[in-house]
Amino acid sequence: MVESLVMSADQPFSDADRLAIYRAIALRRDVRRGFTSRPLPDEILKRLLSAAHNAPSVGLMQPSRFIVIRNDTTRRAVYDIFKDANAQARELYEGDRKEQYDSLKLEGILEAPQNICVVCDTHSQRGHGLGRLSMPETAAYSTVCAIQNLWLAARAEGIGVGWVSILDPARLRAVLRIPEHILPVAYLCVGYVEEFGTEPDLQRAGWEKRVPLETTVFYDFYHAESRP
């Protein structure tokens, strides 16, 4: 699908095209609940992975790799990793904040029909090191761009994606047999959902809220003292 779109690369985006892009961005959600049992067709999964694969990458390095996980045993092993990490994380909070933390739904590992672990080959020689001498971390940044592409494409397809970050990387490596030179970046729960929230889950739960754009924009130099 992406390859066919390249044929019209010189054509301007229509008003509807532009609106669709901004709409997908505005309505993207981190989904952790409400997954249905409806399987994700292979052709749609391929479209999502193709969108990720076409993300920008420093030096055209394309360091991202995708582990698609459907096996129940594997997912249950990952869920056990989450449970242990989550138990440790909750100890950072006290009182009402701890109670609120306990009420949050922070993963959909077993509910989603498939999981995808996105990893980064930080040692890849593709791109011949261009752009990585002074900022080697841009390899991982490239993989984050791939994840965002997948996320937006999924939202346009009516598919929910949830990023599970409460995991012990060493144990995740062991379960998924990830070599030491490969960096786990994101563990995603992916599948059709009953509905998408009108606002982020954490905002609806009162955990945190978005800040206005005006508080994040600076001109010419950084001057945080003028921001709340």
Side-chain angles (χ1 to χ4, degrees):
M1 182 178 182
V2 173
E3 289 75 10
S4 65
L5 293 176
V6 174
M7 300 294 292
S8 59
D10 59 338
Q11 298 179 4
F13 284 83
S14 68
D15 289 345
D17 289 336
R18 288 193 294 274
L19 178 61
I21 292 170
Y22 286 110
R23 183 167 178 256
I25 293 171
L27 297 180
R28 182 209 57 79
R29 294 291 177 263
D30 195 352
V31 179
R32 288 130 174 189
R33 68 179 75 240
F35 287 101
T36 72
S37 59
R38 178 184 175 188
L40 202 65
D42 288 342
E43 63 270 21
I44 293 184
L45 176 61
K46 184 177 180 181
R47 284 209 295 264
L48 301 186
L49 296 176
S50 179
H53 186 62
N54 278 276
S57 63
V58 60
L60 198 56
M61 179 188 183
Q62 292 188 298
S64 303
R65 305 291 183 264
F66 310 93
I67 307 171
V68 180
I69 305 154
R70 291 170 172 164
N71 180 273
D72 284 342
T73 301
T74 303
R75 288 192 294 157
R76 288 187 181 280
V78 174
Y79 179 69
D80 286 342
I81 298 172
F82 164 80
K83 285 196 300 182
D84 291 344
N86 192 51
Q88 295 179 33
R90 72 183 296 275
E91 295 307 316
L92 295 173
Y93 307 103
E94 297 179 349
D96 292 344
R97 183 63 79 175
K98 177 177 282 190
E99 289 185 16
Q100 187 179 33
Y101 181 88
D102 289 338
S103 71
L104 299 175
K105 181 79 164 75
L106 299 175
E107 54 75 39
I109 296 169
L110 301 180
E111 294 90 339
Q114 55 274 301
N115 301 167
I116 301 175
C117 186
V118 188
V119 302
C120 175
D121 183 355
T122 59
H123 292 175
S124 173
Q125 296 306 303
R126 284 192 54 82
H128 311 289
L130 191 154
R132 281 181 277 152
L133 178 62
S134 56
M135 295 184 68
E137 61 272 21
T138 51
Y141 298 165
S142 298
T143 294
V144 173
C145 288
I147 295 163
Q148 180 76 337
N149 267 22
L150 185 151
W151 217 332
L152 293 175
R155 183 62 185 88
E157 296 277 5
I159 293 165
V161 175
W163 186 330
V164 184
S165 58
I166 307 173
L167 294 168
D168 180 334
R171 290 179 61 186
L172 187 66
R173 284 181 184 279
V175 168
L176 300 183
R177 304 177 188 175
I178 301 172
E180 282 300 318
H181 71 283
I182 302 295
L183 176 68
V185 178
Y187 193 91
L188 308 176
C189 306
V190 183
Y192 290 102
V193 292
E194 296 169 354
E195 62 180 359
F196 289 92
T198 56
E199 60 182 345
D201 273 0
L202 293 182
Q203 181 165 299
R204 185 169 63 248
W207 183 265
E208 191 53 275
K209 61 182 180 180
R210 291 187 184 277
V211 299
L213 172 64
E214 293 74 18
T215 67
T216 68
V217 179
F218 308 95
Y219 295 95
D220 300 321
F221 57 89
Y222 190 88
H223 43 93
E225 66 278 1
S226 64
R227 294 294 187 256

Short mmCIF file of all heavy atoms in Angstrom, two decimals, residues 31-56:
data_model
loop_
_atom_site.label_atom_id
_atom_site.label_comp_id
_atom_site.label_asym_id
_atom_site.label_seq_id
_atom_site.Cartn_x
_atom_site.Cartn_y
_atom_site.Cartn_z
N VAL A 31 -4.14 2.66 24.53
CA VAL A 31 -5.27 1.79 24.86
C VAL A 31 -4.80 0.60 25.69
O VAL A 31 -3.88 -0.11 25.29
CB VAL A 31 -5.96 1.30 23.58
CG1 VAL A 31 -7.11 0.37 23.92
CG2 VAL A 31 -6.45 2.48 22.74
N ARG A 32 -5.44 0.39 26.83
CA ARG A 32 -5.07 -0.73 27.69
C ARG A 32 -6.27 -1.57 28.11
O ARG A 32 -6.13 -2.52 28.86
CB ARG A 32 -4.38 -0.21 28.95
CG ARG A 32 -2.98 0.30 28.69
CD ARG A 32 -2.79 1.64 29.28
NE ARG A 32 -1.41 2.10 29.16
CZ ARG A 32 -0.95 3.18 29.75
NH1 ARG A 32 -1.74 3.88 30.53
NH2 ARG A 32 0.29 3.57 29.56
N ARG A 33 -7.46 -1.22 27.65
CA ARG A 33 -8.66 -1.93 28.04
C ARG A 33 -9.60 -1.99 26.83
O ARG A 33 -9.46 -1.26 25.87
CB ARG A 33 -9.34 -1.25 29.22
CG ARG A 33 -9.92 0.10 28.89
CD ARG A 33 -10.62 0.74 30.08
NE ARG A 33 -9.65 1.27 31.05
CZ ARG A 33 -9.58 0.85 32.29
NH1 ARG A 33 -10.39 -0.09 32.75
NH2 ARG A 33 -8.70 1.39 33.12
N GLY A 34 -10.59 -2.89 26.93
CA GLY A 34 -11.62 -2.94 25.90
C GLY A 34 -11.22 -3.63 24.61
O GLY A 34 -11.90 -3.46 23.59
N PHE A 35 -10.15 -4.42 24.64
CA PHE A 35 -9.77 -5.16 23.43
C PHE A 35 -10.82 -6.24 23.15
O PHE A 35 -11.31 -6.89 24.06
CB PHE A 35 -8.40 -5.80 23.59
CG PHE A 35 -7.25 -4.83 23.54
CD1 PHE A 35 -6.64 -4.40 24.71
CD2 PHE A 35 -6.80 -4.34 22.33
CE1 PHE A 35 -5.59 -3.50 24.67
CE2 PHE A 35 -5.75 -3.45 22.28
CZ PHE A 35 -5.14 -3.03 23.44
N THR A 36 -11.15 -6.43 21.88
CA THR A 36 -12.06 -7.50 21.50
C THR A 36 -11.25 -8.73 21.08
O THR A 36 -10.03 -8.66 20.91
CB THR A 36 -12.95 -7.06 20.32
OG1 THR A 36 -12.17 -7.00 19.12
CG2 THR A 36 -13.58 -5.70 20.59
N SER A 37 -11.94 -9.84 20.91
CA SER A 37 -11.26 -11.08 20.49
C SER A 37 -11.07 -11.15 18.98
O SER A 37 -10.49 -12.12 18.48
CB SER A 37 -12.07 -12.30 20.97
OG SER A 37 -13.38 -12.26 20.41
N ARG A 38 -11.54 -10.14 18.27
CA ARG A 38 -11.43 -10.13 16.81
C ARG A 38 -9.96 -10.15 16.40
O ARG A 38 -9.20 -9.29 16.79
CB ARG A 38 -12.11 -8.88 16.26
CG ARG A 38 -12.03 -8.71 14.75
CD ARG A 38 -12.66 -7.38 14.37
NE ARG A 38 -12.52 -7.10 12.95
CZ ARG A 38 -12.85 -5.93 12.39
NH1 ARG A 38 -13.34 -4.95 13.17
NH2 ARG A 38 -12.67 -5.73 11.10
N PRO A 39 -9.56 -11.13 15.61
CA PRO A 39 -8.15 -11.21 15.21
C PRO A 39 -7.78 -10.10 14.23
O PRO A 39 -8.63 -9.60 13.48
CB PRO A 39 -8.03 -12.59 14.57
CG PRO A 39 -9.40 -12.88 14.07
CD PRO A 39 -10.34 -12.25 15.06
N LEU A 40 -6.54 -9.72 14.23
CA LEU A 40 -6.04 -8.71 13.31
C LEU A 40 -5.63 -9.41 12.01
O LEU A 40 -4.75 -10.26 12.03
CB LEU A 40 -4.83 -8.00 13.93
CG LEU A 40 -4.48 -6.62 13.41
CD1 LEU A 40 -5.59 -5.64 13.75
CD2 LEU A 40 -3.17 -6.15 14.03
N PRO A 41 -6.30 -9.11 10.89
CA PRO A 41 -5.92 -9.75 9.63
C PRO A 41 -4.45 -9.51 9.29
O PRO A 41 -3.91 -8.44 9.56
CB PRO A 41 -6.85 -9.09 8.61
CG PRO A 41 -8.01 -8.58 9.41
CD PRO A 41 -7.42 -8.17 10.72
N ASP A 42 -3.82 -10.52 8.71
CA ASP A 42 -2.41 -10.42 8.40
C ASP A 42 -2.11 -9.24 7.48
O ASP A 42 -1.07 -8.59 7.61
CB ASP A 42 -1.92 -11.72 7.75
CG ASP A 42 -1.82 -12.87 8.75
OD1 ASP A 42 -1.80 -12.59 9.97
OD2 ASP A 42 -1.77 -14.03 8.31
N GLU A 43 -3.01 -8.96 6.53
CA GLU A 43 -2.75 -7.86 5.60
C GLU A 43 -2.75 -6.51 6.29
O GLU A 43 -2.00 -5.59 5.93
CB GLU A 43 -3.74 -7.87 4.43
CG GLU A 43 -5.20 -7.64 4.80
CD GLU A 43 -5.94 -8.94 5.10
OE1 GLU A 43 -5.28 -9.94 5.41
OE2 GLU A 43 -7.19 -8.92 5.02
N ILE A 44 -3.60 -6.36 7.33
CA ILE A 44 -3.62 -5.10 8.08
C ILE A 44 -2.39 -5.00 8.98
O ILE A 44 -1.78 -3.93 9.09
CB ILE A 44 -4.92 -4.97 8.89
CG1 ILE A 44 -6.11 -4.83 7.93
CG2 ILE A 44 -4.85 -3.78 9.84
CD1 ILE A 44 -7.44 -4.61 8.61
N LEU A 45 -2.03 -6.11 9.62
CA LEU A 45 -0.80 -6.10 10.42
C LEU A 45 0.39 -5.71 9.55
O LEU A 45 1.24 -4.91 9.96
CB LEU A 45 -0.57 -7.47 11.04
CG LEU A 45 0.73 -7.65 11.82
CD1 LEU A 45 0.79 -6.68 13.00
CD2 LEU A 45 0.88 -9.08 12.31
N LYS A 46 0.43 -6.23 8.33
CA LYS A 46 1.53 -5.89 7.43
C LYS A 46 1.51 -4.41 7.09
O LYS A 46 2.57 -3.77 7.00
CB LYS A 46 1.44 -6.72 6.15
CG LYS A 46 2.60 -6.49 5.19
CD LYS A 46 2.53 -7.39 3.97
CE LYS A 46 3.71 -7.12 3.04
NZ LYS A 46 3.64 -7.99 1.82
N ARG A 47 0.32 -3.82 6.94
CA ARG A 47 0.24 -2.38 6.65
C ARG A 47 0.79 -1.57 7.82
O ARG A 47 1.50 -0.57 7.63
CB ARG A 47 -1.22 -1.97 6.37
CG ARG A 47 -1.72 -2.35 5.01
CD ARG A 47 -2.78 -1.40 4.50
NE ARG A 47 -4.00 -1.42 5.28
CZ ARG A 47 -5.07 -2.14 4.97
NH1 ARG A 47 -5.07 -2.95 3.93
NH2 ARG A 47 -6.18 -2.05 5.71
N LEU A 48 0.45 -1.99 9.05
CA LEU A 48 0.94 -1.27 10.22
C LEU A 48 2.46 -1.36 10.31
O LEU A 48 3.15 -0.36 10.58
CB LEU A 48 0.32 -1.83 11.49
CG LEU A 48 -1.21 -1.78 11.60
CD1 LEU A 48 -1.64 -2.25 12.99
CD2 LEU A 48 -1.75 -0.40 11.31
N LEU A 49 2.99 -2.55 10.08
CA LEU A 49 4.45 -2.74 10.15
C LEU A 49 5.14 -2.00 9.01
O LEU A 49 6.25 -1.49 9.18
CB LEU A 49 4.78 -4.23 10.11
CG LEU A 49 4.28 -5.04 11.31
CD1 LEU A 49 4.60 -6.52 11.13
CD2 LEU A 49 4.89 -4.53 12.61
N SER A 50 4.48 -1.93 7.86
CA SER A 50 5.04 -1.18 6.74
C SER A 50 5.11 0.31 7.06
O SER A 50 6.09 0.99 6.74
CB SER A 50 4.20 -1.41 5.48
OG SER A 50 4.70 -0.67 4.39
N ALA A 51 4.06 0.81 7.72
CA ALA A 51 4.07 2.22 8.14
C ALA A 51 5.22 2.47 9.09
O ALA A 51 5.92 3.50 9.00
CB ALA A 51 2.74 2.58 8.80
N ALA A 52 5.45 1.55 10.02
CA ALA A 52 6.56 1.69 10.97
C ALA A 52 7.90 1.63 10.24
O ALA A 52 8.82 2.41 10.51
CB ALA A 52 6.48 0.59 12.02
N HIS A 53 8.00 0.71 9.31
CA HIS A 53 9.26 0.51 8.57
C HIS A 53 9.61 1.73 7.73
O HIS A 53 10.79 1.96 7.42
CB HIS A 53 9.14 -0.73 7.69
CG HIS A 53 10.40 -1.13 7.01
ND1 HIS A 53 11.54 -1.51 7.69
CD2 HIS A 53 10.72 -1.20 5.68
CE1 HIS A 53 12.49 -1.80 6.82
NE2 HIS A 53 12.03 -1.62 5.61
N ASN A 54 8.60 2.50 7.34
CA ASN A 54 8.84 3.68 6.52
C ASN A 54 9.07 4.95 7.33
O ASN A 54 9.10 6.05 6.78
CB ASN A 54 7.66 3.90 5.56
CG ASN A 54 7.76 3.03 4.32
OD1 ASN A 54 8.42 3.38 3.37
ND2 ASN A 54 7.11 1.88 4.36
N ALA A 55 9.26 4.80 8.62
CA ALA A 55 9.52 5.97 9.47
C ALA A 55 10.90 6.55 9.17
O ALA A 55 11.78 5.85 8.66
CB ALA A 55 9.45 5.56 10.94
N PRO A 56 11.10 7.82 9.50
CA PRO A 56 12.44 8.40 9.34
C PRO A 56 13.44 7.71 10.24
O PRO A 56 13.09 7.28 11.35
CB PRO A 56 12.24 9.87 9.74
CG PRO A 56 11.02 9.87 10.62
CD PRO A 56 10.14 8.79 10.08
#
